[in-house]
Amino acid sequence: MHADRTSFDAYLKFLAEASHDGTPKVLETQHALSLHFDALATQSFMSRKDPDKLVLGYTRTMMGFLLLHPVPARISMIGLGGGSLAKYCYRHLPNTKIVAIEINPAVIALREQFQIPPDDERLEVVCADGADYVANQDARPDVILVDGFLADGMPVQLGTADFYAACHARLADTGVLVANFLESDPDIPLYLEEVSTAFGQSMSISLSEDSSNYTLFAWKGAHKLPSLDALIARARILETAHSLSLTAAARRLKRGERLASDRAAWSKLARPQLRY
């Protein structure tokens, strides 16, 4: 009871002190740490018991790139946050070089609090604009993960035709782009149109595992995804090494391919944001 009370008091204190200027704040309770830019939305969530666990459903869905690229040599991540994806990949993909690009130095300053490992030969955190980094770096990652957000939503530069073209050009020949979109973002149809200018029909979009976000996959190489049976077979092998629902992710990925090819349905993806 005392511990529950302590966590409740911490939450009340957080609500009272939460700012609306985009400054990152950390809510610490008995069981978890979470990162926020305001009192309304959670940017990242870490379990104290298992700091490397992917708690939020959209992060688990983004790991569906393993179905297309199970052993990437290099991953570029736009947006560090509390480091959930960076920590998971660092732990479970030991042969992968991970570069996390974060525009906000105040977020990077929280890396020790969220138990993000220090930089080494496998992990590097770069303070930069993610769109500029993709456009100007020479390295060719196998996977680009886009999960960059400010207090008022996704930065404009991460949803343009130029950005998606730069991602396509930068990715290795069989590379995969994965992007996280807020479910309530009315510009999702526009993002899909811009993605299609770079990747054509090689894309899939669906609700994330917890149905709070949409996850986009776009890929180079083969025009179509493998069959559902082939994806499920891959998922079952991968699930022996990863505590992820990759079989469900395979079904979601294949359904999302059909949805992404139906432009008439795109306008239904973004649900109106509630305003009070």
Side-chain angles (χ1 to χ4, degrees):
M1 178 65 77
H2 175 70
D4 289 343
R5 180 66 198 186
T6 300
S7 293
F8 182 68
D9 289 344
Y11 180 64
L12 291 180
K13 184 174 184 293
F14 167 78
L15 289 178
E17 296 178 352
S19 63
H20 297 278
D21 61 0
T23 302
K25 301 291 185 183
V26 179
L27 169 59
E28 299 190 50
T29 65
Q30 179 193 4
H31 300 292
L33 271 69
S34 53
L35 176 67
H36 306 259
F37 290 139
D38 56 35
L40 300 178
T42 300
Q43 302 297 325
S44 194
F45 192 96
M46 184 188 84
S47 164
R48 290 186 184 273
K49 182 179 180 180
D50 189 354
D52 296 339
K53 181 179 180 180
L54 294 176
V55 179
L56 299 180
Y58 86 86
T59 60
R60 298 193 296 272
T61 300
M62 290 183 75
M63 288 300 301
F65 72 77
L66 292 169
L67 295 164
L68 303 178
H69 224 306
V71 189
R74 185 182 182 97
I75 298 175
S76 294
M77 301 180 175
I78 298 179
L80 176 67
S84 299
L85 285 165
K87 288 187 296 182
Y88 184 90
C89 291
Y90 185 79
R91 177 176 177 180
H92 295 282
L93 298 173
N95 298 314
T96 301
K97 165 75 174 182
I98 301 152
V99 180
I101 304 98
E102 171 58 53
I103 197 170
N104 190 340
V107 170
I108 297 175
L110 300 172
R111 67 183 293 177
E112 289 188 14
Q113 204 166 347
F114 281 93
Q115 300 185 37
I116 300 170
D119 283 9
D120 60 17
E121 68 280 1
R122 291 187 47 235
L123 175 65
E124 180 183 5
V125 176
V126 177
C127 187
D129 180 288
D132 289 342
Y133 182 91
V134 169
N136 296 312
Q137 284 297 305
D138 293 330
R140 300 196 68 198
D142 297 300
V143 178
I144 297 176
L145 301 178
V146 184
D147 187 24
F149 284 89
L150 304 173
D152 56 353
M154 190 176 80
V156 172
Q157 64 268 32
L158 298 183
T160 66
D162 286 345
F163 172 67
Y164 295 125
C167 287
H168 188 276
R170 185 65 52 215
L171 280 167
D173 291 341
T174 58
V176 182
L177 168 69
V178 187
N180 173 40
F181 299 142
L182 295 178
E183 179 207 27
S184 57
D185 190 335
D187 290 328
I188 291 177
L190 174 61
Y191 305 148
L192 294 180
E193 191 68 50
E194 305 291 32
V195 172
S196 70
T197 64
F199 289 86
Q201 296 183 27
S202 300
M203 50 194 280
S204 169
I205 188 165
S206 64
L207 280 170
S208 63
E209 190 172 314
D210 55 12
S211 298
S212 62
N213 300 61
Y214 278 99
T215 306
L216 166 81
F217 292 85
W219 56 90
K220 296 174 71 173
H223 173 58
K224 288 289 187 182
L225 288 171
S227 69
L228 178 59
D229 288 345
L231 288 173
I232 289 176
R234 293 181 187 183
R236 288 173 177 163
I237 294 171
L238 288 164
E239 284 171 343
T240 63
H242 295 274
S243 55
L244 301 168
S245 300
L246 290 170
T247 299
R251 298 183 188 280
R252 194 177 292 113
L253 184 63
K254 196 63 179 175
R255 286 197 302 269
E257 183 183 35
R258 293 193 296 272
L259 176 60
S261 67
D262 182 5
R263 297 198 177 199
W266 289 4
S267 62
K268 301 175 184 178
L269 289 177
R271 302 177 186 181
Q273 192 167 17
L274 296 177
R275 301 187 184 278
Y276 297 94

